[in-house]
Every structure is written in C-alpha cells, then in structure tokens.
C-alpha cells in the first residue's frame, strides 16, 4: 500500500469507538475485513464484492449536514467517537416525493436467483431465506443526509463478511421500522450497526469533497417502532411523510415538524397558615381553611365541630368559665368571672385581661416555593429536528 496522503491522514480522526492509529491509501478494498480497515464508500461506488447489481434508482448529490440537534449524544472535545442520532429524527433522511431511491423488485430478483446469496443475506439480517422478500418489502427507501458509519457486508465464496464503512451522504439505503439503515442499494449489501475496531485500523479510500470526520453519525434504533418517517424532499426542500414500506405512492407533504419542549412540572403548593393579625370573618366556619376532615352526622341532627391542632388531632377546648378564665356570653362579648380575695392575705388573683393574647402555634409563614426544575429550553425525544 502506498504512502498516505495528507488528506487521508485527516480522515483517520474518524471513529465509533474507533481509534484509528494508522492510515492506508486507496489500495485493495477487498482486504478491508482481514486488515481491520475502515472503508470510505462514495454514494455511487458498489464497493468490494457486492451482493447484487446496483438497485439505486438514481445518484443524488447531497451535501452532508452537520447534525447538531440536542437529541445527539455529542462526544467530548477531542474524542473520536461519532455523534449518535435516533433513526426517527425528522430530516435525518431525504428523498423525492413518490419516488423510491431503491428498486426493491430488482433487489429481490438478484437475491432469489442465487440461493447461496439469499441465505447469506438472510443470515446477516436475521430472517429465514423464505422471509427475505417480506423483509425487503417492509423497508422504506431513503437517501442519507449525513455521512454515516455502519457495518457493511460483502459476499465471497458463498458467505457474507462484515467490515466497517462510512457511507457518503447521498447514498440510497433501505431503513427499517426503527429508522436504521438495513440495505445499501448501490450494491445490495445488508447493513448492521457499527462495532468497535482495534487500534491501528487503516482507512481505505479517498475522502470525498466536504468529508469531515466530525460530521459522521451513527444511527441508533428509535425507542419505539415507527410506521412512517419524515424526510426532506431533495428537490424543493419540502417535508414529506413516508410509510415504512417499499411503496412510495402514499407520500404526502406535511408541515415542518416542531421540536417540543418538556412540559414543566408544577410544584405542589402548601397552604399558608393564617397570620396572627388576620381576623376570621364572622360568617366563616370555625373549621374554614383547615385541612382536617369535617365530621358528618345524621341529617337533621346538629353536629358539634371540635377544634383541631396542627396535626388534625382533637384538641381539648379551653374552659369557658371558672376562676381566672374568660367567659363568653351569647352576645359574643368577653368578660371575666369574679374571684374572691384570699381570706388570709386579702390579695386577689392576678388580673385576667379581657382579651387574652392569641395562643402560639399559628405557624411560620413559609417562603415562596422555588421555581420548578426542568424549565430549561431543551429539545428532547424523537421530535428533535434535523433541519434543511
């Protein structure tokens, strides 16, 4: 292999837990798996040992977008780990309204013509050979809008072999009901999520114009199954909703998706205790403003409400008559029950005020509750949007 060029050395910063310590030139890509190499594959290139003929309906020129949505798990500065995005992110993929990027019928024709290829393909995608037609018809044809890291597979001597590959933005792929690329249309190769590579891996292939390792993404399965996917029309930049199916005739234009904000959770409010200087209304019930349960009784029978303490326990009522205690006549005025002086000393009791001080226990006025947490403006979940 020839001496690496400066452009190729720059490509070595790429990874998905890939620590690329050395680089290769654009030599024989057929040894990519054996040598632990990372293959850069342009959108139109078939790559090493393809499964089938190209079934891509057209080659679309797409400039790789920078995925900077808050949904992405952005690596720390200096890390070589690609960004991870959800397969359900609106705008992650592109296409043309009612035009599939991949000819699924031709893909099936090529695979079923060779039972060995069909079995190898089925083994990679995890279905039986007889289920391959249904598997392919249940995928949606789209176009990558970002350079994407995957585990690609070639076909040799009746067997499938995997290798790590970066697919250029503009590559036609088939995605499943989790939004994950499963087939590369330019070669018919099955795709699976990327895996970590050993140190010292080499990058094979010349980087394309606009290639930046920092823009490479890894597509993670959406948290839930999806029945349709929102893509961007590569002709007029309209938003399109496409079924997860090989038939694109049901495509329709939809309004631009809006990224939702998390709903703030309201903090429970604690009732404030009455201030000592507040006077209850004469019409108010003795238990008004209390959280304690009000006793119920038989209709027509008067119920005497008992006073409660701060813990909603029945408190003994203060005596209303007797020496040294205030008496409350029916008219509501307070007076003091007279007490005879001590016969020996001739000194009477201490004077009882007509209006005693209010008892303690009214409680402190708590501070205002703090602002509820989680009110920062953050895009979350599958509603995060990868714009035009």
């Amino acid at each position: 292999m020839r001496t690496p060029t400066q452009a190729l050395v720059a490509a070595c910063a790429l990874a998905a837990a890939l620590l690329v310590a050395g680089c290769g030139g654009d030599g024989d890509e057929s040894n990519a798996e054996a040598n632990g190499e990372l293959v850069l594959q342009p959108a139109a290139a078939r790559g090493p040992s393809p499964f089938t003929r190209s079934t891509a309906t057209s080659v679309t020129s797409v400039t790789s977008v920078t995925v900077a949505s808050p949904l992405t798990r952005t690596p720390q500065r200096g890390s070589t780990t690609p960004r991870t995005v959800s397969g359900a992110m609106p705008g992650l993929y592109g296409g043309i309204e009612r035009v599939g990027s991949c000819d699924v019928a031709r893909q099936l024709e090529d695979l079923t013509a060779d039972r060995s290829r069909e079995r190898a393909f089925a083994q990679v995608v995890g279905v039986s050979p007889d289920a391959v037609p249904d598997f392919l018809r249940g995928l949606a044809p789209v176009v990558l809008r970002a350079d994407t890291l995957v585990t690609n597979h070639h076909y040799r001597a009746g067997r499938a072999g995997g290798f790590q590959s970066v697919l250029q933005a503009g590559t036609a792929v088939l995605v499943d009901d989790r939004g994950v690329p499963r087939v590369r249309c330019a070669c018919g190769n099955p795709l699976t999520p990327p895996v970590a590579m050993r140190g010292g891996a080499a990058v094979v292939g010349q980087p394309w114009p606009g290639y930046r390792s920092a823009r490479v993404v890894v597509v993670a399965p959406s948290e839930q199954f999806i029945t349709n996917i929102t893509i961007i029309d590569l002709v007029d930049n309209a938003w399109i909703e496409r079924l997860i199916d090989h038939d694109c005739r049901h495509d329709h234009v939809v309004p631009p998706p809006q990224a939702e904000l998390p709903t703030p959770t309201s903090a429970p409010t604690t009732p404030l205790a009455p201030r000592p200087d507040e006077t209850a209304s004469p019409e108010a019930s003795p238990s008004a403003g209390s959280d304690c349960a009000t006793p119920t009784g038989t209709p027509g029978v008067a119920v005497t409400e008992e006073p409660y303490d701060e813990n909603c326990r029945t408190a003994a009522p203060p005596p209303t008559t007797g020496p040294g205690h205030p008496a409350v006549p029916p008219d509501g005025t307070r007076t003091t029950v007279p007490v005879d002086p001590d016969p020996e000393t001739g000194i009477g009791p201490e004077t009882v005020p007509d209006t005693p001080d209010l008892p303690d226990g009214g409680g402190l006025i708590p501070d205002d509750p703090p602002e509820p947490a989680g009110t920062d403006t953050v895009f979350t979940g599958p509603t995060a949007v990868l714009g035009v």
Side-chain angles (χ1 to χ4, degrees):
M1 304 183 74
R2 64 183 187 178
T3 304
T5 63
Q6 183 176 1
L8 208 48
V9 172
C12 297
L14 176 69
L18 309 175
L19 300 177
V20 180
C23 296
D26 48 6
D28 183 9
E29 294 180 351
S30 62
N31 295 323
E33 180 187 18
N35 297 337
E37 295 170 336
L38 179 68
V39 180
L40 303 183
Q41 291 193 288
R46 294 183 67 196
S49 305
F51 263 76
T52 67
R53 297 172 294 172
S54 174
T55 58
T57 56
S58 63
V59 178
T60 306
S61 177
V62 176
T63 301
S64 178
V65 295
T66 300
V67 181
S69 164
L71 181 62
T72 63
R73 295 193 289 274
T74 305
Q76 296 180 353
R77 180 176 299 179
S79 171
T80 56
T81 303
R83 300 168 184 263
T84 301
V85 299
S86 169
M89 177 188 288
L92 178 60
Y93 301 113
I96 301 175
E97 184 180 6
R98 301 188 181 184
V99 177
S101 58
C102 186
D103 189 337
V104 175
R106 182 187 299 177
Q107 180 82 25
L108 281 172
E109 181 182 347
D110 285 3
L111 281 177
T112 56
D114 186 341
R115 297 293 294 178
S116 177
R117 291 177 187 271
E118 186 179 33
R119 285 193 299 269
F121 183 95
Q123 184 178 12
V124 173
V125 299
V127 301
S128 67
D130 293 339
V132 167
D134 289 338
F135 171 79
L136 288 173
R137 294 190 185 104
L139 303 177
V142 295
V143 174
L144 299 178
R145 294 188 63 231
D147 297 340
T148 304
L149 180 65
V150 297
T151 297
N152 207 333
H153 295 80
H154 55 58
Y155 177 78
R156 297 183 195 146
R159 299 180 61 182
F163 61 97
Q164 300 306 294
S165 177
V166 176
L167 306 182
Q168 182 186 13
T171 299
V173 295
L174 298 174
V175 299
D176 63 12
D177 54 9
R178 293 294 186 109
V180 177
R182 301 304 304 273
V183 179
R184 183 172 183 261
C185 302
C187 53
N189 292 357
L191 306 175
T192 56
V195 297
M197 295 180 67
R198 299 185 302 273
V203 175
V204 175
Q206 185 71 24
W208 43 84
Y211 170 79
R212 299 289 185 275
S213 61
R215 292 186 176 183
V216 175
V217 303
V218 172
V219 179
S222 62
E223 295 183 357
Q224 298 179 345
F225 291 105
I226 55 178
T227 57
N228 53 65
I229 193 167
T230 303
I231 65 177
I232 289 182
D233 194 311
L234 300 177
V235 175
D236 57 10
N237 290 331
W239 291 88
I240 301 172
E241 190 171 78
R242 173 170 292 178
L243 292 175
I244 301 297
D245 187 84
H246 73 288
D247 189 352
C248 301
R249 291 177 294 177
H250 302 288
D251 289 356
H252 60 279
V253 177
V254 294
Q258 300 295 322
E260 297 179 358
L261 300 179
T263 303
T265 303
S266 299
T269 56
T270 304
L272 301 181
R275 297 180 183 273
D277 57 349
E278 292 179 349
T279 304
S281 172
E283 293 81 13
S285 169
S287 60
S290 172
D291 290 335
C292 303
T294 302
T296 58
T298 305
V301 179
V303 177
T304 302
E305 296 185 357
E306 299 179 342
Y308 295 87
D309 62 11
E310 66 273 15
N311 296 318
C312 292
R313 294 178 299 202
T314 304
T320 56
T321 59
H325 293 285
V328 183
D331 60 2
T333 61
R334 289 181 178 270
T335 185
T336 302
V337 178
V339 181
D340 296 333
D342 189 314
E344 296 182 0
T345 62
I347 301 176
E350 296 181 358
T351 303
V352 178
D354 289 342
T355 305
D357 294 334
L358 292 177
D360 294 335
L364 298 176
I365 304 300
D367 296 332
D368 292 335
E371 292 293 331
T375 56
D376 293 338
T377 302
V378 179
F379 294 158
T380 59
T383 53
V385 176
L386 181 57
V388 177

